[in-house]
Amino acid sequence: MMKRHLIRRLFRFTSRTNRDVRRDIDEEFQFHLDMRIEDLRREGLDEAAARAQALREFGDAARGADACAVHGETIERQRWLTRIVSELRQDSGYGLRLIRRSPGFSAAAIATLAIAIGGNTAIFSIVNALVFRPAPYGAPDGLARIHTGESQTSWLNYQDIASRTRSFRGVAAHRGTMISLATDAEPVRLNGQTVTPNFFDVLGVHAALGRTFLTGDTRTDVVVVSDRVWRTQFSSDPAIVGRTIVLDGRRYEILAVMPRLFRGVAPPGLLRDCWFPIDPAAPGRGLEERNAGQFEIIGRLAPGVTHEQATAELRVIAAQLRAEHPEIPERFAATRAMHVDGIDAFQGVARTLLPVFAFVGLLWILAGLVLAIGCANLAGLLLGRGVARCREIAVRLALGSGRGRLVRQLLTESLVLAMAGGAAGLMLANWLSGLLNVAAARLPFPVEFDLALDPRVLVYTIGLSMATAVVFGLVPARRASRIDLVPALKDETGGRRQRLRSALVIGQIAMCSLLLAWAGLFARSLQRAVAVDPGFDAAGVLVAELDLGDVPDKARMTESLVAELQPRLERMPGVESVGVSSIVPLALTGREAFRITLDDPSADRPWVMGNRLTPGWFRALGIPMRAGRDFRWDDREGAPGVAIVNETLARRLGPGAIGMRLKWPDVEIVGVVADSKYYTIGETIAPALYRPFRQHPGDSPIFHIRTSDLAGTARALRAELRRLAPAVAPDIKPMTAAVAVATMPARVGAIFSGGFGVLAALLAALGIYGLVSFNVAQRQREIGVRKAIGAGTPRIISLIVGDTAVLAGAGLAVGLIVAVAAGQLLRGFIVEVSPADPLTLGGVVALVAASSLAASLGPALRAARIDPLATLRAE
Amino acid sequence: MKPRKAGDTVTLLQGTVDLLILRALQRGPAHGYSISRWVRDSTGGVLAIEDAGLYQALHRLEARGWIDAEWGLSENNRRAKYYRLTAGGRRQLRTEVNAWKQYATAMFKLIEET
């Protein structure tokens, strides 16, 4: 239907070609000559003489015509422009008048569009914040992340690269670190970055308040804080610069406050709270180890140097360093300079964020489906109105309005509607995407997306609105302009366009069934996820994460704190058992995966999930021991290495797992525990290897405390910490809250797809209602005749509802087939539910059937009340 | 194009054709031939515009927006293109007339003095 010539005809506003112009000029000249000849003959000249004189007086007709034609083209162009402008003004004025004249229709149309366009724009502004928005640095194109085969680089390697490279004007190192800010009440945990003094120079950013430290500064007792910390911790104190604060027990002077949403070096959305200089002289931080990768590095390219050239130079430096220090691993040779913008910013974290991307993509699909349903709805409404306006259109055509002109006029009306809907949608989107930041505020780390309206979002919304207008407006407009004049003027209408409306309703029901089916799957999956037994019992368990912060000899300090604190906790009233781990299962805060080497060199090396524990952890979580023993306090450094495996790994290792020695890590297996979920609720249980915390002390010990009084124990723990480690800010919460993150995808999916599904059902019901009421109005005469010859009310109702049932049945069939077939898309998000889940599909059928019935019942009853006499008399 | 005989008609100065057309149209809408006749008749044949040039000027003025054109029926029931002054054309005519008056006054002063 959308042939190319149609489009061309639609937008060819001028009706006159160059040949037309030429013909007019010839005619004008001819008229002049004829008149002159006539006059001269009246003065007495004969035909030939008169013609000769007229031609002589006229001069060079050919050249004159050429010159005229040039002006003629200019004139046509100007006319074309003024005509477009005036037609557009006329049509949009007319469109606005129509909006005012039929407020019900317009409100429904604009609301539909606002919801559909708003949903899409909201998703797009999230994608925009993640991918398209330039990173908040000065000239981000001139920045490069230096990836040394792994994302983290040792201090020594950083220094060597920074001093040898000529491709960079400056190279900065930074490292994330948790740090505790002392306040009047409890200490507060901040997400800090330890950075080299040139960090802000390299990024090309300036403070909003005060002055950041600069290249060459040597003070290490200074700190730059984020806008968020400034607002939440220092109540936006304008005189904050120069104030002294205590971080991890050390005093720092606040130098500056960064602008809002400055995030240091982090993927979009993830924020940092403060930045302080690395103290290269501080002992016990492993800075002197060649292979201790701790820092990420970022460089400012020298003018004119590309990322590729920088990479080439970095490769040379990497090769030199490897030659000088043979202990540097081979992957170091793959050192390269990467962009910091767009997709590249996710390098390294892409794998962890993949579900997020997939989820946003899925939401986009859902929002797109709602938009499609909205378009179908509006197209249906417009088709209906086109019929209602048949007479008006016929009159216009009869008065000589061109059909192209008419299509344009009707399209402009759609455009006016779409623009109004788009504007409302933009506001809705702003609110919707704002919800994201509200939701993100509940995550265990600072997250805030930069969702401010920018030209990209604006262009997207306007483009979408225009495309929407064409999609829902073009076919009805073409239909309307193709009416037959004579029957239309005589107030008769054909039934041909009904087929198109019916097809639209089938499409709507199909898409709506698809959305509802997916919503159902998410809901079922959520239901299952909550019911899934993770293998441990989170209820009644308190988790408390402690981090000593950036202190020397951290591992040993941590270990002694744990050894001191755990027995004290065990003696507290109400406490049943206590254990420390380095990772909270199902809390998405971290995971440890590595391959173990068996004694048998021919066996393959299985991947295992790891955790590091103190004695009592399994008891605290209610994970039963199957065989062997739990860890003991004397499983510490110096004692023989031991490990406990889960049943899955025990099966893998074969009979007699207890007592088996692994080649790497060098441990003897002393116990087997029951299986439990490790990272996500939907995973199949992976082999797990637990090692004693005291033999492999982690950075942040996490206490798991089974207690009969969560609040009381939390209070007692804080009091105990104030005495033992006053600078540490503990992160204490019930384990159920920490684990709730695991069901978040299913929860968010259920909320979003449920919302979209309800919306779609509403729109589809509106579509059905519109179609059926319209059909009833059209078939008044037929129904009147049927009643006159004896059809009763039930007969009439079943006639009307039966029509709807056919449409609904067709739509359902198509929608559910697609839902099941495309269910694979949801694989990563739904747990233990098949895309063909009979309960879900049955529910969708019931819901769609009920809503179609409800939508068609009103018009059907109206049809049943038709007075046969009145309709027949109207003839 | 043949040169006209001296004494018979005056060769027109550049730019005066525009003024003549605008002035002719001040009397009301007219087609090209009647403009040509009016110029010839009202100057007693002293001023005559070469017709090809007249039409070029008409189309140029139309492109500049000083006059408008429309097809209509002539006195002898033939299709003819009628021109008419636009608001911009009226303004243009006023300025050109004023400029000509100043120019002519200055020229006369100069000629009379000697």
Side-chain angles (χ1 to χ4, degrees), chain A residues 677-862:
Chain A
K677 301 271 180 176
Y678 183 85
Y679 196 65
T680 65
I681 199 87
E683 72 192 13
T684 49
I685 302 275
L689 183 88
Y690 302 96
R691 286 177 293 166
F693 191 85
R694 299 193 81 187
Q695 287 180 345
H696 309 272
D699 279 350
S700 318
I702 305 166
F703 283 83
H704 291 68
I705 309 158
R706 179 165 292 283
T707 169
S708 54
D709 175 13
L710 289 175
T713 305
R715 264 197 309 277
L717 171 61
R718 284 185 201 279
E720 198 64 52
L721 272 173
R722 264 198 294 279
R723 286 196 308 109
L724 284 177
V728 172
D731 181 17
I732 305 178
K733 58 190 161 202
M735 191 172 181
T736 44
V739 172
V741 178
T743 53
M744 200 162 71
R747 210 181 294 262
V748 174
I751 290 170
F752 272 92
S753 58
F756 281 132
V758 167
L759 225 60
L762 220 69
L763 289 178
L766 266 175
I768 295 172
Y769 177 81
L771 178 74
V772 178
S773 336
F774 184 76
N775 276 346
V776 168
Q778 290 286 299
R779 291 167 67 180
Q780 236 173 27
R781 206 167 0 179
E782 178 204 330
I783 294 168
V785 172
R786 279 172 188 267
K787 282 190 82 168
I789 58 174
T793 302
R795 179 88 194 79
I796 299 294
I797 292 182
S798 70
L799 179 78
I800 302 293
V801 174
D803 281 358
T804 315
V806 172
L807 298 184
L812 263 173
V814 175
L816 292 184
I817 290 170
V818 175
V820 172
Q824 298 305 325
L825 281 175
L826 303 186
R827 274 274 181 240
F829 305 104
I830 59 176
V831 184
E832 305 203 345
V833 184
S834 144
D837 180 49
L839 195 67
T840 306
L841 299 188
V844 173
V845 171
L847 203 64
V848 170
S851 60
S852 334
L853 185 71
S856 60
L857 212 54
L861 286 174
R862 232 184 357 262

Side-chain angles (χ1 to χ4, degrees), chain A residues 16 23-25 27-40 54 56-61 63-65 67-69 71-72 74-75 78-79, chain B residues 1-2 4 31-34 36-37 40 49-60 62-65 68-69 71 74-76 78-81 83:
Chain A
R16 284 157 52 81
R23 209 172 36 231
D24 278 359
I25 294 168
E27 190 176 348
E28 192 178 12
F29 284 10
Q30 195 56 54
F31 170 76
H32 182 104
L33 287 173
D34 291 350
M35 292 292 281
R36 183 69 186 143
I37 291 167
E38 209 172 295
D39 279 358
L40 287 171
R56 195 168 57 244
E57 282 173 3
F58 200 90
D60 192 340
R63 251 185 47 198
C68 286
H71 296 308
T74 319
I75 294 165
Q78 283 166 351
R79 282 227 182 104
Chain B
M1 187 161 73
K2 266 188 178 169
R4 283 158 200 267
H31 51 68
Y33 182 66
S34 71
S36 158
R37 281 283 304 273
R40 203 189 310 268
I49 311 173
E50 193 198 49
D51 296 317
L54 171 77
Y55 281 101
Q56 270 181 54
L58 278 170
H59 285 247
R60 187 175 63 242
E62 191 189 350
R64 299 192 66 167
D68 240 356
W71 285 90
S74 73
E75 46 274 36
N76 58 355
R78 280 190 56 175
R79 243 166 70 81
K81 200 173 173 191
Y83 295 90

